[in-house]
Amino acid sequence: MAGIPWAKWFDGRQAIASLPDDCIADCSASGSVDREVELWVGWLDFDAPPWLLRDHLRGYGAWDAAQLCDHQANLQRLLWTWACNCREDEDDNLQIYLGN
């Protein structure tokens, strides 16, 4: 598992690591947070399997198939939605499940 880039974040479809509080605050703040999300993806070395991101994000219905082909954008979308979910439900930072 050590060679798999997302092994520190996900075991299958389940999150196994929590987002830092500063990341949640920065990535879920009011207004545009595109730059903050991009920075946090890099700082955290955040990654997930491309097919899994596409599958999960498709469920939101907010992006079309062409948009979901961009892996880096999908990482940012996932981090942003996860951070926003954490901000809304402060008791459960591990609530992200990349299932259907």
Side-chain angles (χ1 to χ4, degrees), residues 9-17 19 46 48-49 51-60 78 81-83 85-86 92-100:
W9 286 104
F10 299 99
D11 181 11
R13 294 177 176 265
Q14 183 64 48
I16 57 173
L19 296 177
F46 189 66
W51 65 269
L52 187 56
L53 287 172
R54 287 190 303 269
D55 184 56
H56 176 72
L57 293 169
R58 192 176 296 119
Y60 286 95
L78 178 61
T81 57
W82 188 358
N85 289 344
C86 289
D92 189 7
N93 191 331
L94 285 173
Q95 66 183 333
I96 196 80
Y97 174 72
L98 302 181
N100 294 329

Side-chain angles (χ1 to χ4, degrees), residues 8-10 19 40-42 44-48 75 78-79 82:
K8 67 181 176 185
W9 286 104
F10 299 99
L19 296 177
W40 275 104
V41 165
L44 295 173
D45 196 22
F46 189 66
D47 205 357
L75 288 171
L78 178 61
L79 186 62
W82 188 358

Side-chain angles (χ1 to χ4, degrees), residues 16-34:
I16 57 173
S18 296
L19 296 177
D21 291 340
D22 288 345
C23 173
I24 294 168
D26 291 348
C27 295
S28 64
S30 297
S32 177
V33 293
D34 294 345

